[in-house]
Amino acid sequence: MDISYILNELGEERENYFNAVAPPIIQTSNFAFKTVKDFRNALADEFDADLYSRGNNPTLNILRKKLAALDGAEDALVFSSGIGAITVPILALLKQGDHVVSVENPYSWTIKLFKNFLPKFGITTTFIDGTDIQHFKDAIKPETRLIYLESPNTFSYELQDLKAVADLAKSKGILTMIDNSYCTPLYQRPIELGIDLSAQTATKYIGGHSDVVAGVVTGKRELIKQIFDHEYMTIGPSLSPHSAWLLIRGLRTLPLRLERSFESAKVVSDWLSNHPLVSHVIWPFRGDFKQHDLARQQMQGCGGLFSFVLKDPAFDKIETFCNSLQHILMAVSWGGHESLIIPSIAALPENEYDAVNPNRYQLIRMYVGLEEPEYLIRDLEQALGRIS
């Protein structure tokens, strides 16, 4: 389907709601029926019926159709958070005694899911460096039921060869799932490369305005229905109709926002890479990125998220630089209109930091939003001047 059709028309049966250009927010908890037969049919199949908004809701269904089509998937489910879109499908598809192979250093709450939560149910996880397909082969056990990916990783940007991992998993009857939040379906389409489930935090680029928290998972209808019929309906992580409407609004401008962020990130990252106080910049579409060829092969774009390291990565230098920024906000997340920065050192006490040994805590992550690149560069320049 044409992306313009998906974003502006798919699922929007305007004749059903007064030919309004913007779809309505169906802000209701429940739906009425004229006959017992209709009521009975809805109770028997909530996946396809409007019965109770914990399951289906017309506003959510418009969003689901658009997000599934963007991914080239058969169906989608939307959640009240990105981590919900990861946790609920995994709980639905795994059982006691199962084993997961996960790439190392995924999203922090995904780490907690694998290390702290799933072991309560007898599910174990092996973390690997996913940049080499052999590491996946070595980690697979007879009880492995899921391979979990995050490509690129959202701090140090390691990639996995998605097609190679998908082919390996299929040969052994193992499901694959990816967190595709960095790229969105516009810049990477894991389903087309053979991945079974593609999740992302819709809080980021899909919403685009830093005013809604949400998640989505896409895949084959059979898998999506399995998730819906059991853990999704039991746990109740569905998105509110108003939040779904905000995401539909955000989708209208997604290509423009993503392209602007991508192009501006090129300018800002190039400027940083040439600054005498910056050691290096990590961004998958830079020529010096260690997996640059793979990035160009399986990604259509790169978004506005990159990391960099100061030449003097002392704890106080990183803190002074970040504290000196006047216009770039220090905050979690990305994908909105505003540029953000987050130093890895925010996640640990000063006495645990060792600037002598290179590690991920030297990284400063930046998201380039919709401001003019020169405006951001001036802010970076004055902040770097405070540590010269």
Side-chain angles (χ1 to χ4, degrees):
M1 281 184 250
D2 191 287
I3 190 169
S4 293
Y5 172 74
I6 294 170
L7 298 181
N8 296 290
E9 298 178 60
L10 179 63
E12 301 184 47
E13 299 171 358
R14 294 189 173 96
E15 64 276 10
N16 291 340
Y17 43 85
F18 314 107
N19 288 312
V21 172
I25 304 171
I26 307 300
Q27 192 68 51
T28 185
S29 59
N30 50 354
F31 300 84
F33 300 88
K34 290 185 176 181
T35 69
V36 173
K37 181 180 178 181
D38 289 343
F39 197 2
R40 182 182 297 115
N41 290 339
L43 284 166
D45 185 13
E46 288 196 55
F47 188 67
D48 288 312
D50 292 326
L51 173 75
Y52 189 56
S53 283
R54 187 180 80 241
N56 262 335
N57 174 281
T59 308
L60 270 67
N61 285 340
I62 294 172
L63 176 64
R64 285 174 57 188
K65 288 176 183 177
K66 291 179 183 295
L67 293 173
L70 284 177
D71 250 336
E74 292 179 3
D75 212 334
L77 281 178
V78 288
F79 298 77
S80 56
S81 69
I83 191 60
I86 294 168
T87 299
V88 173
I90 288 175
L91 289 175
L93 299 171
L94 299 183
K95 65 182 185 308
Q96 184 179 18
D98 286 348
H99 173 253
V100 179
V101 175
S102 171
V103 294
E104 60 188 3
N105 299 318
Y107 173 52
S108 58
W109 284 100
T110 305
I111 295 174
K112 291 179 173 67
L113 169 67
F114 288 137
K115 286 189 174 181
N116 302 333
F117 189 75
L118 292 183
K120 296 179 182 180
F121 302 93
I123 300 169
T124 58
T125 302
T126 299
F127 292 94
I128 63 163
D129 173 357
T131 59
D132 187 338
I133 191 66
Q134 187 61 45
H135 296 161
F136 289 96
K137 296 177 181 178
D138 294 341
I140 290 173
K141 302 179 181 181
E143 62 270 26
T144 302
R145 296 292 177 268
L146 176 70
I147 294 177
Y148 184 84
L149 311 171
E150 184 178 293
S151 183
N153 169 282
T154 54
F155 243 103
S156 45
Y157 312 104
E158 291 88 358
L159 308 182
Q160 299 97 58
D161 187 328
L162 302 187
K163 187 177 186 308
V165 174
D167 290 345
L168 170 65
K170 281 180 169 52
S171 73
K172 297 182 177 294
I174 298 170
L175 286 170
T176 49
M177 182 177 185
I178 185 172
D179 181 342
N180 194 39
S181 298
Y182 181 91
C183 284
T184 83
L186 268 63
Y187 283 172
Q188 183 167 263
R189 292 165 66 85
I191 300 293
E192 292 184 352
L193 295 172
I195 302 301
D196 294 304
L197 291 170
S198 180
Q200 61 179 310
T201 165
T203 309
K204 311 297 194 273
Y205 290 116
I206 300 297
H209 294 77
S210 300
D211 55 9
V212 61
V213 176
V216 57
V217 65
T218 64
K220 290 187 180 299
R221 181 177 171 84
E222 178 185 1
L223 279 176
I224 296 299
K225 189 174 189 304
Q226 181 180 344
I227 297 164
F228 178 92
D229 285 342
H230 299 286
E231 275 68 12
Y232 186 86
M233 289 299 291
T234 302
I235 295 172
S238 60
L239 192 64
S240 74
H242 182 254
S243 293
W245 183 87
L246 287 172
L247 294 178
I248 294 169
R249 179 204 62 178
L251 283 173
R252 310 294 199 196
T253 58
L254 175 61
L256 296 173
R257 291 185 288 99
L258 197 55
E259 181 181 7
R260 171 60 182 254
S261 182
F262 178 25
E263 294 298 327
S264 295
K266 291 179 187 177
V267 176
V268 176
S269 64
D270 280 347
W271 182 86
L272 278 169
S273 69
N274 290 310
H275 195 282
L277 297 180
V278 174
S279 169
H280 59 281
V281 174
I282 308 171
W283 194 54
F285 268 35
R286 283 187 58 80
D288 57 1
F289 182 70
K290 58 187 176 182
Q291 295 177 286
H292 177 258
D293 291 343
L294 179 60
R296 293 280 182 175
Q297 175 185 319
Q298 66 186 21
M299 295 164 56
Q300 289 72 56
C302 208
L305 201 64
F306 62 83
S307 294
F308 61 97
V309 177
L310 300 178
K311 279 192 176 173
D312 181 356
F315 194 96
D316 64 321
K317 294 284 188 179
I318 297 173
E319 277 207 343
T320 299
F321 164 72
C322 292
N323 292 344
S324 299
L325 292 166
Q326 297 174 357
H327 304 294
I328 300 168
L329 304 178
M330 190 160 16
V332 299
S333 198
W334 71 88
H337 53 84
E338 72 290 348
S339 291
L340 304 171
I341 206 156
I342 179 170
S344 292
I345 60 167
L348 81 168
E350 182 174 359
N351 61 6
E352 293 182 14
Y353 180 72
D354 180 4
V356 176
N357 299 316
N359 58 63
R360 64 188 289 104
Y361 289 108
Q362 295 180 0
L363 295 175
I364 301 170
R365 190 182 78 181
M366 181 171 179
Y367 163 67
V368 177
L370 305 184
E371 304 94 336
E372 292 293 334
E374 293 74 17
Y375 177 77
L376 301 174
I377 287 171
R378 288 197 299 271
D379 196 19
L380 291 166
E381 188 170 29
Q382 65 82 23
L384 285 167
R386 302 292 182 93
I387 61 171
S388 59

